[in-house]
Every structure is written in structure tokens, then in C-alpha cells.
Amino acid sequence: MVGLDASILMNPKVWEASWHVSSFSDPLIDCRKCKYRDRADKLIEDHINNNWLALQQVQEKIWTDSLTPEAWTFEQQTNFLSEFKVKCPKCWNCDRTEPKKFNLMFKTQQWVIDWEWKDIYLRPETAQWIFVNFKNILDTTRMRIPFWVAQVWKSFRNEITPGNFLFRVREFEQMEIEFFCEANEEIWLSRLQKRKETCEEWRIEKIWINKGKLRFREHDPKELAFYSKWTRDVEYQFPRWWGELQWIAYRTDYDLQQHMKYSCRDLQYTDPLTWSRYIPHCVEPSWWLTRAVLTAMIDAYDEEEYINGNWEKEIRTVAHFHKNIAPIKFAILPLVKKDERQVEIAEKIFHDVSKDYFCEYDDNWAIGKRYRRQDEIWTPFCITIDQQSCEDWETVTIRDRDTMEQKRIKISEISKYME
Ligand code: GAP
């Protein structure tokens, strides 16, 4: 896999080639009374989730054979909204405009000369730069099919209804990987299956995502984007609903074909061993970074009952973040801040361990309070420097955030806890 870091603004022709300028849109409806703007498909989805009769009818495919309103025609959406008398969420009125296409591209202007400009767009996805750079990547890295290209960072969408906490935003950090492969579906499906298993292992073992909260949902044929032959969503059970965490789409050779056509460049691949020449096909996993972090936070957050030093029940707020993704790895805590020798040892440990890991130095308040503070900011290990440390100049105590167990260890062993 190779990484790419491309720009946000691109030649607008790229977005014509990729269909975004003509078709990247959502169905917009306006309430005639209060002028509230909404997405027809989301309004229907909310109604289905809260109305058993509507849910039953959708499951019985009375309205259309697709279960997802996003895939319905404008006519089907209008019929459903009027049949169920779905109200405007702001003013409870039912009088609204018919759905119309609302383009999600963020437009801006590039001044060519003083009095002339052209429309350009902030990228709505990171994927297209990977396709446009396909030939550069081949020439500079000499990768052989199959290979992956990955990119992470900002994408922008002019969402009609941003919100739902962090769920739908206009500016987000996207993570996309393009898997370039032969057109043989059997081969890439088996490779993807392996990848899925590695990904799942990583999610569960390295960031402790709860496996029971993940599910895979295959797109029904009507829901598929027109360039995709097969798409699957990875969904996560957020506290109040199942939401999309990632999508994986088989994009065929559509994108490279389009860019070949628009750029008049040859984007074919020649296999260096067999000399066969073809346009590679592509499978694409795509995520929103923040949503992925949010799932880790939801699974990590806890309010735990415990017995304190005075044998009283207390509640502590703690985030059981895996040590790999906890922002601060060690808290360095001299027990008594007026003890010069403790401070000297603590500062030395802080200086040494900070070379490899993010650490926090805290000498304020009682030690119990300091532990609580670190529990709240997910620090997996607290290192306490006490009287014995001053006597032997060799040992400290280490406290585990999750078990609250404390052990006496050698200073030289601290870093081993992160291995
Ligand atoms: N290149 C394919 C693509 O962009 P998408 O389903 O439109 O596909 C991929 O987006 C992922 O990006 C989604 O699974 C979702 O996690 C995230 N995403 C899309 N629109 C978003 C928005 N407005 N706010 C936050 N995340 C978004």
C-alpha cells in the first residue's frame, strides 16, 4: 500500500469526469410554511424508524422494492410523504415542495485574470486524486497489480441538513483506500475477505471496538451508485441508531475509464511479467475518521463504581481506551511536590520517557484526585514517585487505569508497558 497526500482544489474537469458536477446530489424539499429545508429521503427514513405501519409497508415492499429511501424515485418519495402525511419537523405542516436535485459540491472561484474567473470545487471525496494520479504512482513506485493506494484528510460536502451530533458535517476527514486489481471478481473478493478479517482483528484487538456492535449491510441493487456493481456498508450501533461507519464499493474500471476519456491520457496497466495490458478494476473502502474515533470513544467510556481508600463507594469516570490510541500514555506524578528529591527523579523520568511517548507531569492535589484526572483523559499508566524511590533511586509504582492495580517496578521497565 502506498500513501498519497493531494490537494483540496483540483482542475474542475476531474469532477466532470467523475460525474460529481452533474449527479452528486440529494433530494431537497422545502416546507412552504416555515421554509425549513430537509432531505426527502432522511425525512422518510426518520418516519419509518418511528412508525411501525410505515416500517411494515416498506418491509413488505409496497412502495418500492428498495428498503432504503435514498434509492427511491422522486415520485415514490412524494407519494410516501403525502400518504403518511409526514409533517415538517419544525412547524408540523404537511405542505411542502416536490423533491428536487440539490448538488452537494462546494463551489468557489478561481480568478483567471482580473475580470474573468472559473468555477472550481472543494473536493467532495479524496478518491478522485488517486485515480488521476494512477499513472504517476505506477511510474514512481513501480507497484505491481494488485496494490492499494491510501489517502486521509479533508473532504467537503454542502449537506442540506448537517447535524445529528458529529454525524453529518460539511467538512470532514475522510480516509479512502483504492485497491487496484484485475477484473476477476473471484480473486478480488477473496483478497477483500482476507482484508476484512485483518481489519476486523485490528478494530477489535488494537482499538477495542465491540464486535457485537458491528454489522455488514449489502446495498440492494436499486441503492447502488451507478458506477458500482457491489457495495457493502459497515454499520456500528451508536447509542440511538445503527449508522454507517465505512463503505466498501466495487467501482469496476469506471473511474480510470472516465479519466482516460477526459484527459486523453493512457491509464492502462502493463503487467511486467505477462505483458498483458488492461485497465485495472478498483475496490474502495471509505471511512470518516472522526466517526471511527467516536465509536472507539463510545466503547471506551464508562462510569464505574469502586471502593476508595476510606472504604466508601465512589463513581469514577474512566475511558478504557486501548493504550495504542490513548493520546497520553504515561502520567508522571511525584507524590509530594515539596520533596526536592522526588521532583528531581520525576523530572528526569518525564524527560526520558517523553522522548518516545506523550506524557503528562502532574504534581497538583492529592494522589487520588490525580489518578481520577488521568482516568478521565484515558491515560493508561500512572507512574508515582514516592519516598522509596528516593531511597533506592531505582523504583517507582505503576498504576493500571483499568484494574487500578499498583505495582512496584524498576524505572528502566516503564517503557516496556507500551510494547
Ligand atoms: N468515495 C466514496 C465516498 O465518498 P460516501 O459513502 O459518500 O462514499 C464515504 O462517503 C464515507 O464518508 C461514509 O461512510 C461516511 O463515513 C463519510 N461521510 C460521507 N459524508 C459525510 C458527511 N457529510 N459527514 C461526515 N462523514 C461523511
Side-chain angles (χ1 to χ4, degrees):
M1 190 183 303
V2 291
L4 179 71
D5 183 11
S7 61
I8 284 166
L9 299 174
M10 297 163 80
N11 187 321
K13 278 248 172 319
V14 170
W15 304 114
E16 284 171 33
S18 69
W19 69 270
H20 281 86
V21 172
S22 58
S23 315
F24 188 48
S25 57
D26 278 337
L28 169 78
I29 44 175
D30 282 310
C31 171
R32 287 209 171 90
K33 194 170 167 215
C34 72
K35 311 294 176 214
Y36 178 69
R37 309 199 110 180
D38 212 342
R39 262 177 73 172
D41 56 328
K42 289 290 163 213
L43 191 62
I44 295 172
E45 213 173 276
D46 288 347
H47 190 76
I48 294 169
N49 288 338
N50 295 314
N51 182 305
W52 69 268
L53 183 62
L55 177 67
Q56 200 179 4
Q57 290 196 4
V58 170
Q59 280 169 347
E60 283 168 12
K61 305 197 168 172
I62 286 175
W63 294 94
T64 146
D65 50 7
S66 170
L67 295 176
T68 1
E70 201 180 332
W72 299 6
T73 63
F74 284 176
E75 196 186 343
Q76 286 161 345
Q77 290 175 348
T78 309
N79 290 345
F80 180 97
L81 288 169
S82 63
E83 175 69 25
F84 279 95
K85 299 192 173 41
V86 180
K87 295 188 170 72
C88 164
K90 293 284 169 210
C91 72
W92 301 100
N93 179 47
C94 293
D95 187 14
R96 60 174 63 87
T97 59
E98 309 244 304
K100 61 175 179 256
K101 276 185 174 184
F102 180 81
N103 195 287
L104 300 179
M105 298 285 279
F106 255 109
K107 213 188 258 184
T108 182
Q109 271 136 17
Q110 180 197 348
W111 295 87
V112 183
I113 38 177
D114 258 4
W115 57 91
E116 203 183 307
W117 68 88
K118 66 176 177 186
D119 288 336
I120 56 173
Y121 305 92
L122 306 188
R123 67 181 182 203
E125 62 173 17
T126 57
Q128 292 307 319
W129 251 121
I130 300 180
F131 299 122
V132 175
N133 267 291
F134 176 68
K135 194 98 184 98
N136 280 346
I137 293 165
L138 276 186
D139 293 346
T140 53
T141 62
R142 304 180 66 220
M143 297 299 280
R144 278 192 57 206
I145 296 273
F147 66 90
W148 307 72
V149 184
Q151 185 169 201
V152 184
W153 210 224
K154 294 283 183 189
S155 288
F156 302 82
R157 293 185 187 181
N158 193 11
E159 295 285 352
I160 300 170
T161 50
N164 230 352
F165 186 41
L166 283 173
F167 225 74
R168 211 162 32 244
V169 290
R170 292 196 169 118
E171 175 183 339
F172 60 102
E173 300 80 31
Q174 210 176 21
M175 307 193 280
E176 291 192 299
I177 307 177
E178 304 302 326
F179 175 51
F180 292 103
C181 52
E182 311 86 332
N184 188 327
E185 202 161 318
E186 239 173 66
I187 298 181
W188 67 251
L189 259 178
S190 78
R191 286 210 182 99
L192 205 69
Q193 183 59 26
K194 269 200 205 120
R195 190 84 202 167
K196 177 181 158 250
E197 282 157 19
T198 329
C199 244
E200 230 168 69
E201 249 169 55
W202 181 82
R203 273 196 194 107
I204 294 158
E205 283 172 21
K206 295 279 191 272
I207 55 172
W208 288 349
I209 296 280
N210 181 343
K211 192 176 179 192
K213 288 189 183 168
L214 289 175
R215 72 176 184 197
F216 293 87
R217 188 183 70 81
E218 215 126 310
H219 283 214
D220 65 53
K222 287 234 160 106
E223 194 189 343
L224 286 175
F226 66 88
Y227 53 77
S228 174
K229 264 195 169 171
W230 174 96
T231 297
R232 176 190 275 172
D233 283 346
V234 182
E235 294 185 336
Y236 175 83
Q237 193 174 20
F238 288 90
R240 275 186 283 160
W241 70 88
W242 281 91
E244 182 187 329
L245 189 58
Q246 178 192 8
W247 95 328
I248 308 165
Y250 172 38
R251 300 181 75 124
T252 70
D253 58 356
Y254 173 82
D255 302 272
L256 288 180
Q257 289 272 16
Q258 283 294 97
H259 291 303
M260 259 174 82
K261 202 160 89 191
Y262 276 72
S263 65
C264 303
R265 294 279 193 282
D266 184 5
L267 298 178
Q268 289 183 88
Y269 169 80
T270 309
D271 190 287
L273 296 183
T274 61
W275 295 105
S276 59
R277 200 165 159 71
Y278 58 93
I279 300 175
H281 282 228
C282 200
V283 184
E284 175 194 77
S286 174
W287 305 248
W288 177 30
L289 197 155
T290 314
R291 220 181 268 184
V293 175
L294 184 64
T295 57
M297 288 174 73
I298 290 170
D299 278 348
Y301 186 87
D302 208 355
E303 286 169 17
E304 254 179 25
E305 209 177 75
Y306 75 103
I307 306 290
N308 70 14
N310 300 328
W311 298 100
E312 294 156 345
K313 267 189 195 168
E314 258 190 58
I315 305 274
R316 69 166 183 153
T317 302
V318 53
H320 300 286
F321 242 36
H322 193 288
K323 62 182 181 185
N324 288 342
I325 51 170
I328 294 165
K329 313 294 188 195
F330 295 101
I332 314 295
L333 319 172
L335 197 59
V336 182
K337 77 170 168 186
K338 286 190 183 144
D339 185 323
E340 282 176 16
R341 285 184 310 162
Q342 284 188 22
V343 171
E344 190 185 337
I345 298 171
E347 283 181 353
K348 176 150 180 16
I349 294 173
F350 181 71
H351 180 263
D352 292 346
V353 182
S354 294
K355 285 180 190 154
D356 297 317
Y357 302 106
F358 277 110
C359 298
E360 197 170 276
Y361 187 94
D362 188 3
D363 57 8
N364 250 335
W365 294 93
I367 192 72
K369 260 208 171 125
R370 285 186 260 168
Y371 286 154
R372 284 305 86 70
R373 259 200 305 252
Q374 297 303 326
D375 289 344
E376 282 176 13
I377 59 166
W378 324 332
T379 312
F381 304 110
C382 287
I383 307 292
T384 307
I385 295 90
D386 54 15
Q387 189 52 35
Q388 194 175 328
S389 315
C390 300
E391 283 161 18
D392 58 25
W393 280 82
E394 195 183 32
T395 64
V396 287
T397 65
I398 186 161
R399 172 194 180 262
D400 183 291
R401 176 200 58 205
D402 299 332
T403 61
M404 295 204 280
E405 233 174 44
Q406 295 183 30
K407 260 204 278 183
R408 190 127 218 124
I409 60 163
K410 288 191 171 163
I411 294 173
S412 56
E413 288 170 344
I414 294 176
S415 293
K416 286 196 189 131
Y417 278 78
M418 277 309 298
E419 285 165 9

